[in-house]
Amino acid sequence: MKKPFLAPALLALATSLILSGCSLNNPESAEAHYAPGLGDIMGATATRHSKLWFAGQAQNWALAAYELDELHEGFEDAEKYHPTHKHVPVPIPQLIASTMNKPLEKLDEAIKKQDIVAFTKHYDELTDGCNSCHRTSEFEFNLVTRPMFNPFANQAFTLPR
Ligand code: HEC
């Protein structure tokens, strides 16, 4: 009477121990297996580039700083997951350094000084940098511009006072 009841119970216990053992030994396993494509990182980069513009123009400097930081993180991911890319003759980290580092640094300064004129100037330099890298990457048909209109229907860039 006891046997047929115990066997499935023991099996279930053993299975749950094995499963929990796996996730305990390897807490980052799910993360480690997901590497975003460069195109995916770029899609997020384009959104942040756009939000950075609206944040800066609204002089919402905390949001601008946040979006700038997100841009940095995206480029870090690009370097980490895609040190080289099929059509790109130069290593990705090297291209990011030559096209992005200076405008990102200048934007950081402008945001800290809350200087809208400097922000706008260096934003355009950032955009030029995106396109410069796209040219080197044989990706010049993807032309980045200042955002032409605000597509974010559910976010207030100017905070209520
Ligand atoms: C390292 C050079 C490099 C830099 C810097 C760079 N890009 Fe890209 N970008 C690429 C490459 C290469 C692709 C094509 C990736 C692919 O699909 O494999 C791409 C693709 C894209 C795409 C197409 C993705 C899609 O799903 O539509 C957009 C949009 C884009 N980039 C925006 C930007 C913006 C905005 C910036 C600047 C803030 C930027 N990129 C900076 C190299 C770069």
Side-chain angles (χ1 to χ4, degrees):
M1 281 290 270
K2 267 183 184 169
K3 246 188 183 171
F5 170 77
L6 257 177
L10 280 174
L11 186 65
L13 182 67
T15 308
S16 73
L17 280 175
I18 289 166
L19 287 177
S20 65
C22 276
S23 60
L24 277 177
N25 290 339
N26 210 350
E28 282 174 349
S29 57
E31 212 177 311
H33 289 291
Y34 175 69
L38 188 58
D40 298 330
I41 296 173
M42 284 293 153
T45 294
T47 301
R48 289 154 181 169
H49 173 266
S50 182
K51 288 193 174 190
L52 176 63
W53 172 256
F54 294 112
Q57 296 312 301
Q59 306 205 31
N60 183 341
W61 300 115
L63 181 61
Y66 170 80
E67 296 300 346
L68 192 73
D69 205 51
E70 292 291 298
L71 278 174
H72 270 292
E73 281 180 17
F75 289 124
E76 274 166 26
D77 283 349
E79 291 179 358
K80 181 166 148 197
Y81 296 115
H82 304 279
T84 59
H85 190 261
K86 50 190 175 190
H87 300 300
V88 189
V90 184
I92 297 290
Q94 198 176 316
L95 269 178
I96 291 172
S98 65
T99 59
M100 295 287 103
N101 283 8
K102 187 160 171 258
L104 288 176
E105 205 176 290
K106 292 284 177 189
L107 276 167
D108 184 50
E109 282 171 24
I111 290 167
K112 282 185 178 135
K113 287 187 196 152
Q114 311 200 343
D115 181 342
I116 181 72
V117 176
F119 174 90
T120 303
K121 175 172 178 254
H122 299 303
Y123 185 89
D124 287 340
E125 284 166 8
L126 177 72
T127 305
D128 290 346
C130 306
N131 289 322
S132 161
C133 197
H134 286 176
R135 276 194 299 277
T136 312
S137 310
E138 295 180 25
F139 206 67
E140 66 277 6
F141 55 85
N142 189 302
L143 185 64
V144 182
T145 65
R146 275 188 195 179
M148 296 171 205
F149 61 90
N150 184 340
F152 305 106
N154 59 348
Q155 183 168 2
F157 288 84
T158 306
L159 296 179
R161 292 179 157 264

